[in-house]
Amino acid sequence: MILEEIAMYEDQPAWVLMEAAQERYFHGHPLGFRVLGTQYTISRLPREAMVRYARDRYASDAIVVAAAGRLEFGEVLEKVGRACGSWRPSGATREHPRLVPGTGDFEIRRPKLSAAYGTLL
């Protein structure tokens, strides 16, 4: 398999392999997309699209705050309120398509790599 789009951290073979396996297994499903994108997708992302994404996804109706340990609940609420109190709901939605898992073996060859990596998904 030849990757057409290079991972943002192509110098880390284990990550390259894991992302390729996820893309193959989750092909056509949102879980198959790279979280950080690729050099190709990031370099072509307009600033306005990133601003819109941040506004829609980092909104009061899209974030969960979790706290654990020996905490003072009122103090946690106060800190969260200071940090996020001005956030407004965005109404952004997500699709949840049915997953049809991809199967099969594949390999990625890198001539300069002196080790072998394997993964199961």
Side-chain angles (χ1 to χ4, degrees):
M1 173 182 190
I2 298 174
L3 295 177
E4 293 181 16
E5 295 186 20
I6 299 171
M8 296 297 287
Y9 31 82
E10 66 179 283
D11 59 339
Q12 298 178 28
W15 281 108
V16 173
L17 176 61
M18 187 62 185
E19 283 193 335
Q22 287 175 323
E23 286 174 3
R24 184 177 188 93
Y25 184 81
F26 295 110
H27 180 73
H29 191 279
L31 292 174
F33 301 143
R34 295 181 183 171
V35 173
L36 296 178
T38 64
Q39 291 175 354
Y40 178 84
T41 58
I42 295 300
S43 66
R44 284 157 181 76
L45 181 67
R47 180 187 182 282
E48 298 78 26
M50 192 64 219
V51 169
R52 186 174 53 253
Y53 179 86
R55 184 189 62 233
D56 289 349
R57 298 301 177 202
Y58 294 90
S60 63
D61 57 345
I63 296 290
V64 173
V65 175
R70 192 172 183 180
L71 304 167
E72 292 294 329
F73 185 68
E75 207 174 292
V76 172
L77 288 179
E78 181 185 326
K79 287 181 180 182
V80 171
R82 276 198 314 264
C84 311
S86 64
W87 293 9
R88 300 292 169 239
S90 70
T93 61
R94 295 185 186 272
E95 294 180 21
H96 301 281
R98 184 173 170 266
L99 172 63
V100 179
T103 61
D105 298 337
F106 72 97
E107 64 180 42
I108 302 171
R109 293 188 177 264
R110 296 275 172 100
K112 295 182 180 179
L113 193 62
S114 61
Y117 295 81
T119 189
L120 297 172
L121 193 61

